[in-house]
Amino acid sequence: MRVVCLSGGVGGAKLAAGLHDVLAPGELTVIGNVGDDLEILGLHVSPDLDSVLYTLAGLNDTERGWGREGETWEALESARSWGGEGWFMLGDRDIGLHLVRSQALRRGETLSGVTGRLIRSAGLKTRLLPATDDRLRTQLVTPAGTFPFQEWFVARRHEDEVDALRYDGADVSRPAPGVIGAIEDADAIVIAPSNPFVSIHPILSVPGIREAIERRRVRCVAVSPLIGGHAVRGPVDRMMRRLLGGTTPALVTMCYKGLLDALVIDAADETAETDGAVVVTDTLMLDRESARRLAQTTLEAAMETPS
Ligand code: GDP
Ligand code: CA
């Protein structure tokens, strides 16, 4: 069974890891967000792709919730002491990966090419494809001005309310090699419980990707990032309230208009307003086992024959 999963960073990576575990080797393709990418200290950083890579490989720090386990911060401290930019958290182990990627890109390799090499170096059979090899950058329009994603999220601690989003470069971007084929060949499409605005919409803004999902002849199922109307982590609930006026499952479905055959929601949202088919389960992924359970339920919802 071939499955495509659209994913952002940490939240998406947890479900992707569950899918990776319950599917046979090579059956999963993850399409990752690059709208959060940044160039800093001469390095090209792809935080969402790396969250997926680290989580699939079991290298992620589950306590901090992002980055690598056993991380140290010597290089960043040194860079700061030399007057370098120090606001974006880069651990020593993490930097090793960014060095390899940055060198490859500088030599003319594509982001999808180097990402493929990295995932194979980790011994993984799952495919991880950036949505595009082209430059696509999410910008947040706020009352205090317009900021690139990481400046808003990290430097300004996502305190500014978001009035609109822009995906700069999306209109002229092309899907990375393999992305459209993977969607067309999939037996099921899954949208991870990632932030719709800053993780999934940037992927869908690459011309051709949304259209390929709209043309599907298989089911597409999303997992809601909300539990009891609240984000498990991050600003999705605040963004939904400001941009859509609430945090119900119906509004999550609205984020993916025309793309969903079912939405997987948490039992805590069962009584809230829904729109279309929903599957109710426990969606909190506390560990790899609960991620596998949610992945299994999501796949079952994706394989159901529509009534
Ligand atoms: P980021 O790119 O690292 O910010 O991560 P994502 O966009 O992929 O995921 C962030 C979203 O995942 C947040 O909106 C969280 O509410 C959601 N999330 C995180 N963990 C869980 C979980 O265990 N269950 C569910 N349902 N959602 C989760
Ligand atoms: Ca992200």
Side-chain angles (χ1 to χ4, degrees):
M1 169 181 191
R2 283 158 302 186
V3 176
V4 159
C5 174
L6 308 193
S7 174
V10 173
K14 290 199 268 177
L15 186 72
L19 290 166
H20 168 88
D21 289 354
V22 301
L23 290 163
E27 287 188 327
L28 177 64
T29 300
V30 179
I31 300 176
N33 173 40
V34 296
D36 301 1
D37 286 20
L38 76 160
E39 287 79 27
I40 189 152
L41 295 170
L43 302 173
H44 179 112
V45 184
S46 296
D48 284 4
L49 297 178
D50 295 345
S51 293
V52 174
L53 172 59
Y54 290 153
T55 306
L56 291 179
L59 298 170
N60 59 307
D61 187 304
T62 47
E63 248 155 62
R64 197 184 326 115
W66 54 271
R68 277 193 68 163
E69 198 181 5
E71 193 59 281
T72 52
W73 309 91
E74 301 286 331
L76 183 66
E77 276 313 316
S78 172
R80 277 182 185 145
S81 75
W82 292 109
E85 282 181 286
W87 60 273
F88 192 79
M89 295 302 287
L90 293 171
D92 298 327
R93 293 183 169 187
D94 194 30
I95 285 173
L97 168 54
H98 307 319
L99 289 171
V100 173
R101 173 192 291 121
S102 303
Q103 182 186 41
L105 293 176
R106 217 164 282 134
R107 283 179 174 165
E109 206 173 325
T110 59
L111 183 60
S112 56
V114 65
T115 304
R117 280 204 291 122
L118 293 168
I119 202 115
R120 283 191 297 278
S121 298
L124 296 164
K125 296 276 186 295
T126 285
R127 283 205 298 166
L128 173 59
L129 302 174
T132 179
D133 282 332
D134 298 322
R135 188 186 168 85
L136 187 165
R137 295 289 183 271
T138 299
Q139 304 274 336
L140 292 297
V141 181
T142 82
T146 299
F147 303 102
F149 179 82
Q150 299 297 353
E151 209 174 308
W152 170 73
F153 193 84
V154 180
R156 300 179 66 87
R157 297 159 202 233
H158 48 81
E159 278 165 7
D160 309 282
E161 297 288 350
V162 176
D163 290 316
L165 293 99
R166 263 187 7 223
Y167 308 109
D168 282 7
D171 53 336
V172 290
S173 70
R174 294 150 301 172
V179 166
I180 299 298
I183 295 170
E184 287 174 346
D185 292 344
D187 300 305
I189 301 166
V190 172
I191 301 180
S194 294
N195 185 314
F197 306 106
V198 293
S199 289
I200 304 297
H201 288 174
I203 299 174
L204 297 172
S205 73
V206 176
I209 296 187
R210 172 188 287 277
E211 294 75 5
I213 300 175
E214 281 169 348
R215 282 198 308 272
R216 74 192 176 281
R217 303 186 115 145
V218 298
R219 283 164 66 80
C220 177
V221 175
V223 180
S224 169
L226 301 167
I227 297 189
H230 298 290
V232 177
R233 200 188 166 112
V236 72
D237 46 0
R238 252 177 64 216
M239 294 178 85
M240 284 185 69
R241 275 195 299 275
R242 180 134 172 142
L243 293 164
L244 306 175
T247 60
T248 60
L251 292 170
V252 176
T253 301
M254 197 167 100
C255 289
Y256 300 127
K257 215 170 169 30
L259 299 178
L260 293 192
D261 298 291
L263 178 69
V264 178
I265 64 169
D266 194 84
D269 296 296
E270 195 171 4
T271 56
E273 190 191 348
T274 58
D275 175 16
V278 293
V279 173
V280 181
T281 188
D282 176 6
T283 70
L284 186 60
M285 295 174 281
L286 288 171
D287 51 25
R288 196 93 176 208
E289 183 50 38
S290 45
R292 281 194 277 269
R293 262 199 314 271
L294 180 58
Q296 191 61 49
T297 305
T298 306
L299 287 178
E300 281 159 20
M303 295 315 287
E304 245 166 47
T305 32
S307 46

